[in-house]
């Protein structure tokens, strides 16, 4: 039985217990909450984007979705928690604090074939709105609902509290399954909040489903061509600092603006960039010494000032410099340029991490959220069968091996061990750092669906033997022994998987 099936069985038993108890039989609020917990298991995973004011959350939402859906300027919409989910047609619903709902007018603007979504708050009081629900027919939203949150450092206490109510609610009931935390600096407030998020999403035994982003990465290097190299160094430093606390599984540098522009690149922009790339390098370098100089009316460039200003807004100085450099290197069409910019933006690396840490474990993360929610619910609403229900929940939270793998991924470099670098790399791979499929865990490269060779079974058996021996090393400290035992269980699971397939 999978973890999700086990959770559903516990939930079904809990529902029956509350229906049979005279004190709760006629309590619609109680049964509605149990229904909500059950429905969440069948819905897409909920990923929250959080961070300080102006960290680039809305821009990253748009980049991940591939469309300009989230307002990115200082509109009222950026001060409200907004959920972006898949829907057959565009629709925006405002959930009011008094329980009412209302439709928010949307305006779809078309520019060079690009769709955009703009919210209109005419007739609405933003202070009266609890959150927004945006349904949009984007393929990227089919398997995950992305939640954009206001900045945690907003000067408005109410705005910051909207985010805190979602990420660290006072009732202790998780509202999201995973968190992407955007960092521009690494300060005490961010670390404290990440610790709180980790405690809530992971329970008492450690954080689950938290990754970091060194956001607006192109600005770290002041828009220079090597800006992303500087950003990677910063991300490495952030990772090292947070590894000490075990509160984050990875930190990835991303230029959200460049990623969004790459995913929505317009042919007219490509044509304008080609003209700029054809300018004498020394003259163009002089014109691009600063943003102000680049958009001057008196610059003798083959692209008018208004178009240059629009390019600067869409690409940023880093994006413009990279685009011109790759065009001069031989890129000859808009599709190839978009692909190159997307790769350089860091978004592909971020999506890979989200896939490995979140998407491939979405059922597990949702099951964990359901268990924590159900545990809290039973504690707040005691029923005659509460002891038995908790006796089912607690061992599953504590002992499920997949939970242990996720926790170890965020703790391995933060805790002292006697593992060598090679052992550390092998162990991280085995417990799923590079993906949860057998090939990724064993480092064998892509395997055919039928696993049509003996390489897989042999490698799984060898890994089991290797980590059994390592787990019994007499000089192991407790944490190293725990990590090695987890590696043994992961390898044994692979052996069992191959055996079940007849290999």
């Amino acid at each position: 039985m999978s973890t999700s099936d086990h959770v559903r069985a516990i939930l079904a038993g809990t529902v029956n217990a509350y229906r049979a108890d005279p004190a709760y039989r006629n309590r619609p609020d109680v049964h509605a909450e149990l229904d909500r917990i059950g429905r969440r298991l069948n819905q897409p995973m909920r990923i929250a984007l959080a961070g300080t004011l102006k960290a680039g959350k809305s821009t990253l939402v748009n980049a991940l979705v591939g469309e300009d859906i989230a307002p990115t300027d200082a509109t009222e919409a950026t001060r409200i928690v907004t959920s972006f989910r898949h829907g057959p047609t565009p629709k925006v619903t405002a959930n009011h604090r008094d329980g009412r709902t209302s439709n928010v007018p949307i305006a779809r603007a078309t520019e060079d074939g690009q769709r955009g979504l703009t919210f209109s708050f005419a007739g609405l009081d933003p202070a009266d709105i609890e959150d927004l629900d945006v349904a949009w027919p984007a393929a990227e939203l089919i398997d995950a609902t992305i939640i954009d949150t206001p900045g945690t450092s907003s000067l408005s206490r109410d705005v910051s509290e909207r985010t805190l109510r979602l990420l660290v609610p006072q009732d202790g009931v998780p509202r999201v399954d995973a968190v992407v935390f955007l960092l521009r600096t690494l300060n005490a407030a961010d670390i404290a909040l990440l610790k709180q998020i980790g405690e809530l999403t992971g329970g008492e035994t450690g954080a689950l489903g938290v990754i970091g982003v060194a956001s607006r990465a192109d600005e770290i290097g002041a828009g220079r061509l090597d800006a992303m190299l500087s950003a990677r160094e910063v991300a490495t430093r952030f990772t090292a600092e947070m590894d000490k606390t075990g509160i984050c599984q990875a930190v990835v540098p991303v230029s959200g603006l460049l990623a969004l522009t790459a995913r929505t690149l317009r042919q007219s922009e490509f044509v304008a960039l080609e003209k700029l790339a054809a300018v004498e390098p020394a003259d163009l370098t002089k014109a691009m010494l600063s943003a102000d100089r680049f958009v001057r009316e008196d610059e003798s460039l083959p692209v008018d000032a208004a178009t240059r200003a629009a390019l600067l807004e869409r690409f940023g100085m880093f994006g413009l410099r990279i685009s011109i450099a790759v065009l001069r290197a031989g890129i000859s069409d808009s599709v190839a340029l978009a692909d190159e910019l997307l790769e350089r933006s860091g978004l592909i690396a971020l999506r890979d991490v989200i896939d490995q840490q979140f998407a491939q474990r979405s059922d597990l993360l949702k099951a964990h959220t359901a268990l924590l929610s159900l545990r809290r619910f039973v504690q707040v609403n005691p029923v005659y069968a509460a002891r038995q229900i908790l006796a089912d929940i607690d061992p599953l939270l504590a002992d499920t091996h997949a939970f242990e793998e996720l926790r170890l991924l965020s703790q391995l470099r933060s805790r002292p061990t006697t593992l060598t670098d090679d052992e550390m790399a092998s162990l991280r791979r085995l417990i799923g750092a590079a993906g949860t499929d057998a090939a990724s865990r064993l480092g064998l490269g892509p395997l055919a669906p039928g696993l049509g060779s003996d390489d897989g079974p042999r490698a799984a058996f060898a890994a089991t033997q290797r980590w059994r021996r390592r787990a019994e090393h007499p000089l192991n400290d407790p944490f190293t022994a725990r990590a090695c035992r987890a590696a043994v269980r992961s390898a044994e699971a692979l052996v069992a998987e191959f055996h079940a397939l007849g290999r």
Side-chain angles (χ1 to χ4, degrees), residues 268-318:
S268 60
E269 292 170 337
F270 176 77
V271 171
L273 289 168
E274 274 195 316
K275 292 178 180 178
L276 290 172
V279 174
E280 179 66 30
D283 293 339
L284 187 60
T285 298
K286 181 179 177 181
M288 295 182 70
L289 285 175
S290 69
D292 289 341
R293 189 161 188 163
F294 181 66
V295 299
R296 281 182 188 173
E297 289 281 356
D298 59 353
E299 287 293 345
S300 56
L301 295 173
V303 177
D304 63 82
T307 300
R308 280 181 269 134
L311 287 173
L312 183 62
E313 181 177 357
R314 282 265 293 159
F315 287 74
M317 191 58 75
F318 170 71

Side-chain angles (χ1 to χ4, degrees), residues 427-486:
L427 190 146
R428 284 179 57 83
R429 184 174 59 244
L430 186 57
I431 64 175
T436 58
D437 60 286
S440 297
R441 288 177 183 270
L442 296 170
L444 296 178
L447 293 177
L451 304 173
S453 76
D454 292 331
D455 291 346
R458 280 199 299 265
F461 182 75
T464 302
Q465 296 297 100
R466 174 188 183 184
W467 289 105
R468 278 178 181 165
R469 290 192 298 269
R470 190 62 179 84
E472 295 169 358
H473 196 288
L475 297 182
N476 279 344
D477 58 87
F479 178 75
T480 301
R482 169 193 159 195
C484 293
R485 288 194 297 269

